[in-house]
Amino acid sequence: MAATRTAGQDLAGLVLPLAKALAALESSVARRHGMTSWQCAVLRAAAEPPGRTQREIVGAIGYDRNRIVADLDDLERRALLFRRVDDLDRRSNRIEVTAAGRRLARAVGRDLRAGADDLLAAVGPGDDRETMLRALAALRDRCADDAWSTAWLRS
């Protein structure tokens, strides 16, 4: 895919193709491991840190609290994780990842890192890459800033 140039820097035009490519990478890696992208995200979030509640996993990955149930059912059926009632809040489930689930989560993580590293090779090693990653993290954090969204994302 060829990048198009416009006058000045169009941030959305720069970032959107990258976001699409990274989403496609996640989907491709998930399929190779027999999962959906959301199942991959659920398994990885449940594996690290261990013992999270369903609600904590939903918050960590930005998933719908109702839709996660079907993914947990499937991952549990495949013996990759299991649910146990939380000792402190009997209305809540803690998600425990099995040894097979941890192995799969690590394999998925390795494949995602390899794809991302290959993509980041375009930036080059060292300081340029670190500077770019810090800048992207700063932009991500700014997007989550209430003051910014209140000022700029109003109707």
Side-chain angles (χ1 to χ4, degrees):
M1 173 187 343
T4 58
R5 299 251 179 223
T6 60
Q9 291 294 324
D10 175 12
L11 188 57
L14 291 170
V15 175
L16 189 57
L18 176 60
K20 286 181 178 181
L22 291 171
L25 170 65
E26 285 188 358
S27 181
S28 176
V29 167
R31 279 193 314 274
R32 282 195 303 253
H33 289 281
M35 294 186 284
T36 67
S37 293
W38 282 114
Q39 288 171 337
C40 252
V42 168
L43 182 63
R44 294 181 72 218
E48 194 58 42
R52 281 180 163 174
T53 64
Q54 268 181 237
R55 183 173 304 224
E56 290 168 335
I57 292 169
V58 163
I61 65 174
Y63 200 27
D64 182 88
R65 67 182 180 89
N66 296 312
R67 294 189 65 194
I68 194 174
V69 173
D71 290 319
L72 289 170
D73 288 345
D74 187 61
L75 295 169
E76 192 167 23
R77 221 177 351 269
R78 295 168 57 191
L80 298 172
L81 55 75
F82 62 93
R83 291 172 260 209
R84 69 173 173 78
V85 175
D86 187 344
D87 295 334
L88 300 175
D89 181 358
R90 312 258 332 132
R91 298 166 297 168
S92 183
N93 286 322
R94 294 235 171 240
I95 308 303
E96 302 292 342
V97 178
T98 64
R102 283 190 300 279
R103 283 192 299 275
L104 184 55
R106 283 192 301 270
V108 166
R110 278 192 304 272
D111 288 353
L112 288 171
R113 276 189 305 282
D117 284 346
D118 191 45
L119 184 62
L120 286 168
V123 177
D127 292 341
D128 287 346
R129 184 181 293 193
E130 290 306 314
T131 299
M132 184 203 65
L133 292 173
R134 277 194 307 277
L136 288 172
L139 290 171
R140 177 207 55 215
D141 295 346
R142 184 70 170 151
C143 288
D145 181 339
D146 288 338
W148 182 84
S149 60
T150 299
W152 293 100
L153 303 181
R154 60 181 181 254
S155 299

